[in-house]
């Protein structure tokens, strides 16, 4: 309240000194990390503060951030669905359909690369420009309307105050760069690590998982199924980075979803890493996403082409559905670009439901509850 009072006095008057002093002392952001989770890596030029996180949360949920004021980040990344949208393909302004599915933002701070298939996109600050400025298709449609969107934000006293407090070094802080810096700061705080699985594996609560779920965990971590080889580590995901970690080599896999031409082609434009490199060896390669909160994020895969967890398991059991879709059964091994780690396996109906029960035990209910509380609080404060 003190800060607010000082700032409002400052508008148009000459009370600069005390405000500057206050602005120079942003509030430290206190991480609340689950047991065993490493400290997220934060870029040196965007230190995380409580003000930036709050600003980022507001911006994330605000449709004023789109060109025509209809779409926010949260339209496609809804808190109650672990920041996905329940669609197989995301929909931006004026009903524009994106070729791929919105990704969960669960533990996004740790991902070594961002997006389904981009080896070069590593910083949340950079990623935020993609939905804002993308023209093919327009997601939020800010390209060409940047000044209009910023002017909308400048009109709000709450935003003016928060931008000033978040970027004390800038004399006019309401900029697109600072929008992305605040969004990135907020996204880094979306950390989930309080699922029944965590209580069982790390919290010493033997009964946090029931018998079925424990059997499912054994299957997940078995050599026979090998899920853990790609969905690995504390985040059950592809490579992670954190404060003090080594640089991680990005990893992408072809999971045998498509084989259009007998040589493993994926339907354009969703050809995976190939889309960025043009190399045929990169055809159909995508990042293995985290499986935390996976029960909340159907439908599955980069194009939402698998509706349920049961169907995902059938896909893996078959060693990739492209193998059984392809007509020339005799030639399958030679044709397939599918990752050799996906050999397929027999899965009894009982085992299938155990594995689904395990995947459901990866949901962190408090993550969703907190997100919803914060976004409704935000609605009240507007
Ligand atoms: C039209 C729907 C839509 C909107 C609006 C949208 N996104 Fe996304 N988001 C997506 C899709 C689709 C992907 C996957 C893109 C890809 O890799 O092909 C994605 C991916 C991401 C990722 C990568 C996650 C990961 O695990 O790598 C982040 C981070 C992200 N979005 C943040 C944002 C932010 C911040 C905003 C607002 C500025 C936003 N998104 C607005 C649809 C949307
Ligand atoms: C060879 C590496 C690899 C192995 C082994 C693997 N996965 Fe995956 N998984 C991936 C990749 C890559 C994707 C994304 C594929 C895409 O969208 O094209 C994925 C996607 C998924 C998804 C959907 C994620 C989402 O957000 O839509 C689920 C669920 C899943 N895997 C579960 C499993 C289970 C269960 C196993 C074991 C039976 C397993 N995976 C084995 C690499 C792997």
């Amino acid at each position: 309240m003190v800060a607010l009072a000082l700032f409002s006095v400052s508008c148009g008057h000459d009370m600069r000194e005390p405000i500057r002093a206050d602005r120079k002392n942003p509030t430290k952001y206190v991480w609340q990390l689950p047991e065993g989770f490493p400290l997220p890596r934060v870029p040196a030029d965007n230190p995380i503060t409580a003000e930036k996180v709050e600003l980022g949360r507001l911006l994330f949920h605000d449709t004023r951030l789109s060109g025509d004021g209809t779409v926010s980040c949260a339209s496609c990344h809804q808190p109650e669905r672990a920041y996905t949208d329940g669609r197989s393909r995301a929909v931006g302004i004026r009903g524009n359909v994106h070729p791929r599915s919105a990704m969960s933002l669960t533990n996004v701070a740790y991902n070594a690369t961002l997006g389904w298939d981009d080896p070069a996109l590593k910083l949340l600050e950079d990623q935020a420009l993609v939905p804002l400025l993308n023209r093919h298709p327009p997601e939020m449609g800010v390209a060409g309307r940047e000044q209009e969107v910023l002017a909308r934000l400048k009109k709000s006293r709450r935003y003016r105050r928060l931008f000033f407090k978040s970027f004390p070094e800038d004399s006019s802080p309401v900029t697109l760069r600072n929008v992305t810096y605040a969004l990135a700061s907020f996204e880094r705080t979306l950390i989930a690590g309080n699922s029944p699985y965590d209580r069982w594996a790390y919290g010493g609560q033997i009964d946090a998982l029931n018998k079925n779920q424990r059997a499912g965990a054994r299957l997940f971590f078995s050599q026979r199924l090998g899920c853990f080889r790609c969905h690995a580590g504390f985040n059950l995901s592809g490579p992670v980075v954190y404060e003090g970690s080594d640089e991680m080599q990005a990893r992408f896999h072809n999971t045998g979803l498509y084989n259009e031409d007998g040589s493993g082609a994926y339907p354009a434009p969703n050809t995976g890493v190939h889309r960025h490199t043009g190399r045929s060896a990169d055809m159909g390669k995508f990042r293995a996403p985290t499986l935390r909160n996976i029960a909340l994020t159907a439908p599955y895969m980069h194009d939402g082409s698998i509706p349920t967890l049961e169907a995902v398991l059938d896909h893996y059991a078959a060693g990739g559905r492209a193998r059984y879709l392809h007509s020339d059964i005799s030639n399958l091994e030679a044709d397939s670009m599918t990752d050799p780690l996906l050999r397929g396996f027999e899965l009894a109906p009982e085992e299938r439901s155990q594995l689904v029960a395990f995947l459901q035990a990866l949901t962190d209910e408090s993550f969703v509850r907190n997100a919803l509380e914060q976004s409704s609080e935000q609605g009240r404060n507007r």
Side-chain angles (χ1 to χ4, degrees):
M1 278 327 285
V2 176
L4 179 62
L6 281 175
F7 180 66
S8 36
V9 173
S10 89
C11 293
H13 297 284
D14 237 328
M15 296 257 316
R16 284 270 153 92
E17 275 320 300
I19 302 137
R20 288 254 164 213
D22 177 66
R23 279 174 52 190
K24 287 237 159 72
N25 286 310
T27 318
K28 193 169 180 265
Y29 179 77
V30 183
W31 292 101
Q32 296 186 338
L33 297 172
E35 188 81 30
F37 271 45
L39 192 63
R41 183 185 286 183
V42 173
D45 71 340
N46 189 18
I48 190 163
T49 63
E51 288 81 6
K52 268 188 219 167
V53 172
E54 189 189 344
L55 175 58
R57 178 183 302 121
L58 286 180
L59 291 167
F60 188 89
H61 293 88
D62 197 334
T63 55
R64 281 177 286 186
L65 201 53
S66 58
D68 64 3
T70 58
V71 167
S72 69
C73 307
S75 307
C76 299
H77 300 285
Q78 302 163 9
E80 62 272 31
R81 300 176 192 268
Y83 296 95
T84 59
D85 60 0
R87 301 173 186 266
S88 42
R89 289 160 198 252
V91 178
I93 59 163
R94 297 192 303 275
N96 282 291
V97 180
H98 191 286
R100 288 170 296 282
S101 186
M103 299 183 89
S104 166
L105 303 186
T106 302
N107 296 340
V108 71
Y110 297 112
N111 291 338
T113 64
L114 298 168
W116 283 108
D117 54 17
D118 192 343
L121 191 56
K122 299 189 173 191
L123 278 179
L124 286 166
E125 286 79 355
D126 296 337
Q127 192 286 332
L129 286 174
V130 177
L132 289 170
L133 301 182
N134 210 0
R135 290 181 193 260
H136 306 290
E139 293 176 70
M140 297 176 77
V142 175
R145 300 177 76 164
E146 290 87 345
Q147 291 315 317
E148 188 188 333
V149 169
L150 294 174
R152 267 184 229 148
L153 302 179
K154 283 179 195 156
K155 270 199 200 140
S156 147
R157 212 166 108 166
R158 190 175 185 201
Y159 271 132
R160 282 201 309 272
R161 179 177 69 86
L162 273 170
F163 272 100
F164 271 107
K165 292 200 73 181
S166 300
F167 303 97
E169 64 285 2
D170 293 0
S171 54
S172 50
V174 187
T175 61
L176 200 58
R177 172 208 183 254
N178 288 348
V179 166
T180 65
Y181 275 41
L183 285 169
S185 301
F186 163 65
E187 292 176 276
R188 291 197 172 95
T189 68
L190 301 177
I191 290 180
N194 182 25
S195 64
Y197 166 70
D198 292 293
R199 294 197 285 279
W200 175 74
Y202 306 111
Q205 287 183 36
I206 302 170
D207 57 357
L209 294 190
N210 64 31
K211 205 166 146 254
N212 256 342
Q213 294 166 328
R214 291 199 300 270
R218 273 194 297 279
L219 288 166
F220 185 89
F221 292 106
S222 69
Q223 296 297 335
R224 177 162 69 97
L225 270 64
C227 312
F228 72 100
R229 292 178 181 279
C230 299
H231 303 278
F234 73 94
N235 201 29
L236 303 162
S237 71
V240 293
V241 290
Y242 46 88
E243 192 53 46
S245 72
D246 293 338
E247 269 328 300
M248 287 303 293
Q249 190 64 41
R251 276 178 82 195
F252 301 91
H253 314 269
N254 179 313
T255 59
L257 286 169
Y258 298 100
N259 185 358
E260 298 267 286
D261 60 353
S263 313
Y266 271 42
N270 293 336
T271 58
V273 178
H274 168 269
R275 181 165 83 85
H276 304 276
T277 64
R279 291 176 29 181
S280 56
D282 291 334
M283 178 57 77
K285 289 192 174 169
F286 290 86
R287 197 185 87 212
T290 181
L291 297 184
R292 290 182 171 277
N293 291 332
I294 195 70
L296 303 177
T297 67
Y300 300 106
M301 305 307 188
H302 65 270
D303 56 359
S305 60
I306 305 192
T308 61
L309 288 172
E310 284 82 358
V312 170
L313 296 178
D314 292 343
H315 158 76
Y316 280 115
R321 68 181 178 200
R323 292 196 198 206
Y324 60 89
L325 285 179
H326 186 24
S327 48
D328 185 0
I329 301 288
S330 60
N331 230 344
L332 287 188
E333 291 300 334
D335 288 348
S336 181
M337 299 276 297
T338 304
D339 194 293
L341 287 172
L342 299 182
R343 289 171 310 241
F345 44 82
E346 296 279 339
L347 196 64
E350 193 194 6
E351 291 179 319
R352 191 170 89 145
S353 62
Q354 290 167 338
L355 204 44
V356 169
F358 168 69
L359 293 171
Q360 285 165 342
L362 299 177
T363 301
D364 177 346
E365 304 286 353
S366 62
F367 174 84
V368 177
R369 221 173 24 244
N370 292 343
L372 283 176
E373 271 166 23
Q374 284 167 351
S375 56
S376 69
E377 206 171 295
Q378 167 169 339
R380 282 198 300 280
N381 286 339
R382 272 180 93 151

